Amino acid sequence: MGIGSSRRFYEAEVAPMIHEKFREFEKRIAVGIAGEGSDCFGYDDFISRDHDFGTGVCLWVTDEDMQNIGQELSKEYEYLVDQHPSSKLTDRLRARRGVMTIRSFYSKILGTELDTKNAVITNDDWSGLDHACLATAVNGFVFRDDLGEFTAFRELLLNYYPDNVWRIRIANELHKFAASLQVNYSRCMCREDWVAARLCHMQGLEAAMQLYFLMKRQYPPYYKWTFRRLEEIDRDSVDSSTKYGGFSTLIRKLSEEMGDKSAWKGIKYSPNYINLSDPMIVLAERIAGCIVDMMNKNGLTDRTNPYLETYVDEILDKI
């Protein structure tokens, strides 16, 4: 909905304006729609129209060109937006669209100053970048980029984490899943601490989804879109760990599972006991098995033990 109307707006109004009034810079102005907003992910719908909704595009320029034409280009672009029939843009949406530098676009979304001109990110910067922010930085579409500077940095991000950073993030999520759903959930159920058990459930659910994205080398979007994107990737994956849509089906079942309190009556906790009478445990073990299978396919291990904590040191030792 949003991407299509924005492309039409660019082709019919923005591109002719640039050609007529900024011809000297026409090949230096990158144009597209990307960044914050469900429309940039292609997830906008009628519910999305209750806030920050409207037609617009991003015009990305270098710092130097911003000094030369930024103010005038912004003025001409905003005039087109204001004349557009669907131009009731909030101030926040106006800030997400329009004229901006390449450096400020990426630096603002990723939360740190970046060298976009040379398309370089240090390992320290990679380690501090948020998954969802990275997804936001590379979503949407670039309609034109003759200069190539915007696209070069976008490709750097799309090429994914350096191997060391990737391994550290995998190890962190393996530990989180194992600690929450393969250990602490059982401990909490034995104590009849239902609130803590629910927290274990939610943390394990999140870790399982994060691990899937790490195995597929893709960035998960903002949390409310994470499962939607996972389901899309899983459906289209040619090497799904179970069958097409198999992993996402397990995740959906895990999200709906409430756990069986009666399965823990009279049970004394033992680290060596897996209570398969509780469907939560059964789902956790099935999901863990899928994750191990994906780790094998990624060359991270050749073992099959479903207890994910056992792989943490193995993965970190290769750094």
Side-chain angles (χ1 to χ4, degrees), residues 41-55:
F41 286 101
Y43 293 160
D44 54 312
D45 54 22
F46 287 105
I47 294 177
S48 304
R49 295 188 177 194
D50 69 338
H51 71 291
D52 299 330
F53 180 83
T55 298

Side-chain angles (χ1 to χ4, degrees), residues 58-296:
C58 301
L59 292 84
W60 299 291
V61 298
T62 64
D63 288 1
E64 179 185 1
D65 289 343
M66 178 63 85
Q67 291 290 328
N68 292 328
I69 62 167
Q71 188 172 356
E72 188 61 27
L73 182 60
S74 292
K75 178 181 175 182
E76 296 293 340
Y77 169 78
E78 293 297 337
Y79 174 79
L80 292 179
V81 169
D82 289 339
Q83 302 306 304
H84 200 272
S86 60
S87 65
K88 296 178 181 179
L89 276 63
T90 62
D91 290 341
R92 185 165 68 167
L93 185 56
R94 283 183 184 271
R96 294 175 176 177
R97 307 287 183 264
V99 181
M100 61 194 79
T101 67
I102 298 167
R103 177 183 52 79
S104 66
F105 172 81
Y106 286 115
S107 296
K108 180 182 178 183
I109 289 175
L110 297 176
T112 186
E113 281 296 318
L114 296 163
D115 184 1
T116 55
K117 185 176 180 62
N118 296 302
V120 172
I121 303 178
T122 67
N123 273 353
D124 284 344
D125 280 338
W126 271 117
S127 297
L129 297 179
D130 177 75
H131 298 295
C133 292
L134 284 159
T136 299
V138 297
N139 65 14
F141 291 91
V142 179
F143 304 147
R144 178 171 184 174
D145 184 15
D146 299 64
L147 188 64
E149 186 173 315
F150 181 86
T151 303
F153 199 81
R154 182 180 174 91
E155 289 299 321
L156 173 66
L157 298 179
L158 286 169
N159 285 336
Y160 212 59
Y161 297 114
D163 187 70
N164 285 359
V165 176
W166 181 58
R167 286 175 174 272
I168 290 170
R169 296 205 169 194
I170 290 171
N172 288 339
E173 298 299 335
L174 290 173
H175 171 72
K176 183 178 176 182
F177 183 91
S180 58
L181 267 184
Q182 294 185 298
V183 176
N184 287 328
Y185 173 80
S186 297
R187 294 164 70 95
C188 293
M189 292 298 280
C190 287
R191 293 187 180 116
E192 297 187 359
D193 189 344
W194 315 128
V195 174
R198 182 63 57 213
L199 289 173
C200 292
H201 176 201
M202 291 297 100
Q203 288 205 17
L205 176 67
E206 181 184 25
M209 290 193 288
Q210 294 292 341
L211 283 164
Y212 183 85
F213 280 95
L214 285 161
M215 293 300 114
K216 298 298 180 181
R217 295 177 181 268
Q218 295 201 38
Y219 305 120
Y222 186 56
Y223 70 90
K224 70 177 180 179
W225 301 121
T226 299
F227 179 71
R228 177 169 176 169
R229 181 60 185 144
L230 185 153
E231 201 169 30
E232 290 173 348
I233 299 170
D234 194 36
R235 183 182 62 240
D236 298 336
S237 178
V238 297
D239 63 342
S240 182
S241 55
T242 51
K243 60 181 180 179
Y244 294 131
F247 192 84
S248 57
T249 298
L250 290 174
I251 290 295
R252 184 183 292 277
K253 288 180 178 178
L254 181 63
S255 73
E256 297 169 351
E257 180 56 53
M258 299 304 293
D260 185 356
K261 294 179 182 179
S262 65
W264 297 92
K265 284 186 177 180
I267 299 293
K268 291 185 178 180
Y269 176 76
S270 168
N272 300 316
Y273 174 63
I274 300 176
N275 188 357
L276 297 178
S277 297
D278 186 341
M280 186 79 76
I281 299 295
V282 175
L283 282 168
E285 292 303 301
R286 289 182 64 189
I287 288 169
C290 292
I291 291 167
V292 171
D293 187 53
M294 286 187 280
M295 287 197 293
N296 272 271

